Amino acid sequence: VQGSSIKVKVTSPRESSISYSIFDNVGREVGLGATRQHIGLGDNTIEIRSLDGLANGSYILKVKFSDGSSDTHFFQVLK
């Protein structure tokens, strides 16, 4: 996490648009949205902004591809 955003490397099975959800350490959804990014086949780096509202702690980022597959990442917020 850098400031109020996070950059994440994801591997896509095909060209896709993406959406995401952020969950806290007990599984509650605390953020969701679409990055408006179109990613290509293979390795990509995406940036998710607007993390200002998250308190210090551990979170799970679930990136969902338009074909229904997903990629999960863990991150921490320390202010």
Side-chain angles (χ1 to χ4, degrees), residues 1-7 47-52 75-78:
V1 177
Q2 291 181 331
S4 62
S5 67
I6 184 172
K7 289 185 180 181
E47 183 173 11
I48 296 174
R49 301 174 188 261
S50 305
L51 301 179
D52 288 334
F75 68 97
Q76 287 190 326
V77 172
L78 302 171

Side-chain angles (χ1 to χ4, degrees), residues 27-62:
R28 292 179 297 212
E29 189 171 46
V30 294
L32 61 114
T35 65
R36 296 185 183 178
Q37 294 181 41
H38 185 81
I39 60 174
L41 171 68
D43 294 333
N44 297 270
T45 299
I46 60 169
E47 183 173 11
I48 296 174
R49 301 174 188 261
S50 305
L51 301 179
D52 288 334
L54 298 180
N56 285 349
S58 299
Y59 295 90
I60 300 166
L61 170 68
K62 184 174 183 181

Side-chain angles (χ1 to χ4, degrees), residues 67-79:
D67 70 350
S69 62
S70 64
D71 199 356
T72 302
H73 300 270
F74 298 90
F75 68 97
Q76 287 190 326
V77 172
L78 302 171
K79 297 180 183 177

